[in-house]
Amino acid sequence: MTTDVTEITVVGDDDTGLVARVTSLLFERGINIEDLDQAVRDGVFRMYLAVDTAEMVCTEEKLRADLHELGDDLGLDVQVRFPADRDTQQIAVLVTKESHCLEALFEAWANDDLGADIGVVIGNHDDLQPLAEHYDVPFHDIGDEGGQQNEERLLELLAEYDADLIVLARYMRILSPNVVFRYEDRIINVHPSLLPAFPGAEAYRQAVEEGVRVAGVTAHYVTTDLDQGPIITQRAFDVPDDADLEAMKRRGQPLEADALLEAVRMHLSGDVSVHRGRTTVRENGERYQLGLPEEIEEANPDRPVDGIGTVVADEGAQ
């Protein structure tokens, strides 16, 4: 996550000339564009810009107002995040019925070990409302009787609580491009498999049916491609011969919470960045457990490796 630039996100219906209108406005105000990325999915246009506003010829309030006015004129939703806007980051947690990941986030927050505030919990069922109320955090149920989410209401709540980061704590609904595009590289999900293996629903069941010996979990950024976003952290565990679905969940759920919490900490501290669909860990990467713990690495054999045969042959030739 970049912390020293102003971030501008533009989302709306796809049309010609949108990029030129926005970039021209920035150029006229002396603003340098350091990064620009755009995409269209299901008719939804998204443009992200990282810009340097240090030498702009207007105030932050004026730039924000001008961009919002342009957005209204073009039928676009424009978000502007200046560096100072991110001094105290706000997390919105999305949940369904499973509590273990939300519990881990709340415990870290209560122990001042998270690096941000949990501002709201949003569910497509109300099962976890008592847990949110225990920590005195607002809870909103945006699901109908079948759990189908109301995305318009979701976007309203994310804006109301000024969410810097959205954490999917076993949220069992797919977010549309209309949501994902507004929070590019700011939505973290945990999936119960070692992605890219077993994407989609029932990942533990897929692993049991395929007879894997090692399974695991993955925390990753959310993109418009299901379970294919940039991977941040992973955890693995052995699968016994007699493991059934419930045994897989018992082994996997603590690792889900651990991997998700680690990924959230990395994002909030700015120690992970995304480039061309892959994550890069900054200089503080040694602080985190990205994959297997060190003791497992030490237990793995370190030989033989390619090249030893060549050395032997060379010695025999002498």
Side-chain angles (χ1 to χ4, degrees):
M1 181 182 60
T2 304
T3 58
D4 56 353
V5 298
T6 295
E7 299 175 334
I8 301 171
T9 304
V10 181
V11 178
D13 294 335
D14 188 27
D15 200 356
T16 59
L18 299 179
V19 175
R21 291 288 300 274
V22 175
T23 55
S24 295
L25 184 150
L26 299 176
F27 176 76
E28 292 166 0
R29 287 151 183 77
I31 296 170
N32 182 52
I33 298 174
E34 297 191 355
D35 187 26
L36 187 154
D37 182 59
Q38 58 179 308
V40 178
R41 188 70 177 263
D42 298 336
V44 180
F45 167 82
R46 188 267 306 168
M47 178 169 60
Y48 167 84
L49 305 100
V51 303
D52 183 357
T53 54
E55 298 182 5
M56 67 179 178
V57 295
C58 65
T59 65
E60 292 184 356
E61 292 76 12
K62 176 62 174 172
L63 176 61
R64 196 190 302 271
D66 289 347
L67 285 168
H68 286 166
E69 182 179 348
L70 178 62
D72 293 340
D73 183 46
L74 298 176
L76 301 172
D77 178 30
V78 181
Q79 299 178 8
V80 186
R81 300 172 72 234
F82 294 101
D85 296 339
R86 302 189 294 275
D87 286 344
T88 302
Q89 299 185 75
Q90 296 291 320
I91 297 176
V93 185
L94 273 58
V95 298
T96 296
K97 295 183 177 182
E98 297 180 21
S99 65
H100 53 285
C101 289
L102 181 60
E103 289 177 11
L105 291 166
F106 272 144
E107 288 176 4
W109 180 47
N111 293 327
D112 294 324
D113 192 27
L114 190 58
D117 287 333
I118 299 177
V120 64
V121 177
I122 303 170
N124 63 318
H125 293 279
D126 63 1
D127 296 56
L128 300 185
Q129 183 170 350
L131 183 56
E133 291 177 346
H134 175 75
Y135 285 92
D136 199 26
V137 173
F139 182 94
H140 296 270
D141 181 2
I142 62 166
D144 60 19
E145 291 184 358
Q148 182 61 46
Q149 65 196 4
N150 182 335
E151 281 204 344
E152 183 177 343
R153 179 58 178 153
L154 173 60
L155 287 172
E156 290 175 355
L157 289 168
L158 294 176
E160 177 183 342
Y161 287 93
D162 196 21
D164 295 290
L165 175 65
I166 302 168
V167 179
L168 308 188
R170 299 299 287 133
Y171 184 64
M172 306 304 289
R173 288 291 175 180
I174 298 173
L175 300 177
S176 77
N178 200 33
V179 176
V180 175
F181 277 169
R182 285 173 163 79
Y183 296 92
E184 192 84 4
D185 298 335
R186 290 195 285 141
I187 308 175
I188 296 178
N189 180 49
V190 64
H191 182 75
S193 80
L194 290 172
L195 291 173
F198 310 132
E202 300 288 348
Y204 285 142
R205 186 182 301 278
Q206 294 181 61
V208 171
E209 292 174 351
E210 292 296 330
V212 301
R213 294 297 184 182
V214 177
V217 305
T218 303
H220 64 98
Y221 285 111
V222 173
T223 66
T224 54
D225 296 312
L226 179 62
D227 295 331
Q228 296 183 42
I231 291 171
I232 309 172
T233 58
Q234 293 185 302
R235 301 286 188 272
F237 60 91
D238 283 329
V239 181
D241 286 341
D242 60 351
D244 58 12
L245 182 59
E246 290 306 312
M248 294 286 284
K249 288 182 178 180
R250 286 194 300 271
R251 287 175 175 248
Q253 286 181 349
L255 297 180
E256 292 172 24
D258 188 62
L260 180 62
L261 184 57
E262 192 83 311
V264 168
R265 288 188 178 118
M266 292 175 67
H267 175 93
L268 293 171
S269 63
D271 288 334
V272 63
S273 62
V274 180
H275 181 65
R276 294 184 178 179
R278 292 177 60 90
T279 57
T280 300
V281 181
R282 303 184 193 277
E283 60 272 12
N284 292 323
E286 67 276 0
R287 294 169 45 192
Y288 305 103
Q289 181 187 331
L290 303 180
L292 293 173
E294 290 183 3
E295 53 267 30
I296 300 297
E297 179 68 21
E298 293 172 357
N300 285 335
D302 59 4
R303 65 171 305 278
V305 295
D306 284 349
I308 293 179
T310 303
V311 172
V312 172
D314 290 342
E315 290 177 351
Q318 294 177 359

